[in-house]
Amino acid sequence: MRDETKIVHAGRDPQRFEGVVNPPVLHASTVLSRNLVEWEEKRRRYAQGLPGTFYGLMGTAGTRALEDALAELEGGYRAIVFPSGLAACVVPILAFVAAGDHVLLTDSVYGPTRRFANGMLTRLGVEVTYYDPLVGRGIEALMRPNTRVVFVESPGSLTFEVQDVPAIAEVAHRHNAVVIMDNTWGTPLHFRAFEHGVDVSVQAATKYVGGHSDLILGTAAATEKVWPTLMHSTYALGQCAAPDDVYLAQRGLRTMHVRLKRHWETGLALAEWLRKQPEVERILHPALPDDPGHVLWKRDFRGACGLFGVVLKPVSRPALEAFFDGFGLFGIGASWGGYESLVIPVDLTGIRTATKWPYQGPCLRLHAGLEAPEDLIADLDAAFARLRAA
Ligand SMILES: *Cc1c(COP(=O)(O)O)cnc(C)c1O
């Protein structure tokens, strides 16, 4: 079955809900059993990590539907939902480490994941090392006997470096480490994490799965080998996603294929236009043929999304303010993956420790929404006119 077919049908079982197309929103803490045997059976299934509804913390039929859909699309054994994308990044790390262990994180990791590692993980006695996202097989030199987790994120947050995930995973597995990937940019459609050696594939479902800027949710799909550890740690930490957000995510998921295609095309159109502006130093977008990550992107990815970076040549503060203050369509706001276009300034000074950011000028992060590319380009054109006039 092709992806566009799978995404429509994965995880759905309308007959379970009197033919209703979308799994209903079930608000639940208590889930009653009819008799002692059923109660014991439910407890046994839960203890073994088997699907079922036992207590609201572990979700209900709606939660299972979304988890099943994500597991199928990602190509993992099973998936679990989290109340945020950040929780879906950090709980899996916690699941596999103990005091005295060592974890390797890409220097391009999502900022809040980095804060968790530097703060809580370090406080719990876990050593953290950041590595160059372009390390590839060179990760071998950084592996220690106590390295339990290798965390990858490709393309990297803000800087969009593409990692050689299969090479890193091969080394990690030889050293008995678990490979966790933040796969939000690639989505299950454009990066097949498990075919590239990943053990846990994380989505900030807040982004493209939700797709409408109105929910916070995370998911993690896992191989059968690591699933029990991931699942039990998740519930031990009391992670539970709200049923309304789970509902919205599964609703958003059904159109992700068509939305992504449009985000990808529009993002590339904007990138092509932007690279011709004299104030632009560089575009950070691995789908552009001259991007340093393009070869790996072409080898491993099936597509792009609408998120990319722009490095500007140094400009004055008033010019930058003029650029930002006056957009008609682009919103200035965090997060991405919704239907509307966004632009934010990103400051890379001091947030990389294993690598050096070589540019002096300001950096932008753009999210290409579903608007007409021509209208978005006109909005950007006006911004550059304001910048030049300032
Ligand atoms: C947004 C984001 C997250 C976190 O998701 P939230 O739902 O906002 O907690 C994690 N990783 C990446 C790459 C993100 O962009």
Side-chain angles (χ1 to χ4, degrees), residues 29-80:
S29 54
T30 300
V31 180
L32 298 176
S33 296
R34 272 172 290 234
N35 51 46
L36 182 65
V37 170
E38 189 178 308
W39 170 253
E40 287 170 346
E41 169 69 6
K42 279 186 177 174
R43 284 188 59 129
R44 187 189 61 77
R45 288 184 65 82
Y46 168 60
Q48 293 181 357
L50 297 168
T53 307
F54 170 60
Y55 176 54
L57 176 72
M58 298 88 182
T60 62
T63 320
R64 286 299 93 68
L66 179 65
E67 290 173 347
D68 290 352
L70 260 300
E72 185 178 338
L73 291 166
E74 294 254 32
Y77 170 64
R78 279 183 61 192
I80 195 160

Side-chain angles (χ1 to χ4, degrees), residues 6-281:
K6 245 196 235 173
I7 207 163
V8 169
H9 294 279
R12 287 178 47 224
D13 183 8
Q15 286 323 310
R16 223 182 133 184
F17 310 110
E18 301 180 335
V20 170
V21 171
N22 287 336
V25 180
L26 295 166
H27 285 271
S29 54
T30 300
V31 180
L32 298 176
S33 296
R34 272 172 290 234
N35 51 46
L36 182 65
V37 170
E38 189 178 308
W39 170 253
E40 287 170 346
E41 169 69 6
K42 279 186 177 174
R43 284 188 59 129
R44 187 189 61 77
R45 288 184 65 82
Y46 168 60
Q48 293 181 357
L50 297 168
T53 307
F54 170 60
Y55 176 54
L57 176 72
M58 298 88 182
T60 62
T63 320
R64 286 299 93 68
L66 179 65
E67 290 173 347
D68 290 352
L70 260 300
E72 185 178 338
L73 291 166
E74 294 254 32
Y77 170 64
R78 279 183 61 192
I80 195 160
V81 295
F82 292 85
S84 71
L86 181 58
C89 291
V90 305
V91 170
I93 301 177
L94 273 178
F96 297 105
V97 296
D101 285 344
H102 173 236
V103 304
L104 283 165
L105 280 95
T106 175
D107 206 24
S108 57
V109 75
Y110 176 62
T113 305
R114 190 180 188 108
R115 275 197 289 283
F116 159 80
N118 290 347
M120 190 171 294
L121 214 49
T122 306
R123 181 159 56 74
L124 294 175
V126 177
E127 269 186 285
V128 176
T129 304
Y130 293 95
Y131 64 88
D132 182 341
L134 305 180
V135 71
R137 276 183 204 293
I139 195 103
E140 183 98 49
L142 301 172
M143 299 298 297
R144 301 182 196 167
N146 59 341
T147 306
R148 288 278 80 82
V149 168
V150 178
F151 196 99
V152 298
E153 182 177 332
S154 179
S157 266
L158 308 179
T159 41
F160 299 94
E161 299 93 338
V162 181
Q163 298 195 252
D164 193 343
V165 176
I168 292 171
E170 190 275 318
V171 175
H173 289 154
R174 240 186 315 105
H175 291 263
N176 294 317
V178 173
V179 179
I180 304 173
M181 176 171 188
D182 187 332
N183 191 23
T184 304
W185 191 94
T187 82
L189 297 180
H190 289 163
F191 189 82
R192 290 278 193 267
F194 297 98
E195 289 172 18
H196 293 91
V198 169
D199 301 298
V200 179
S201 178
V202 172
Q203 298 293 330
T206 304
K207 312 292 165 57
Y208 286 111
V209 173
H212 295 72
S213 307
D214 54 2
L215 66 96
I216 296 280
L217 197 80
T219 65
T223 59
E224 188 168 2
K225 185 168 168 222
V226 304
W227 168 257
T229 307
L230 175 66
M231 189 204 80
H232 288 299
S233 304
T234 301
Y235 294 144
L237 286 163
Q239 300 293 301
C240 175
D244 302 87
D245 292 341
V246 165
Y247 175 86
L248 286 174
Q250 75 81 28
R251 191 182 202 264
L253 181 70
R254 304 304 167 193
T255 57
M256 187 169 75
H257 192 278
V258 280
R259 286 186 285 108
L260 263 185
K261 189 162 180 291
R262 172 74 177 216
H263 289 296
W264 171 14
E265 286 168 2
T266 302
L268 272 182
L270 300 187
E272 291 289 356
W273 183 86
L274 281 160
R275 73 197 299 180
K276 297 192 199 104
Q277 307 312 305
E279 293 82 4
V280 170
E281 173 83 43

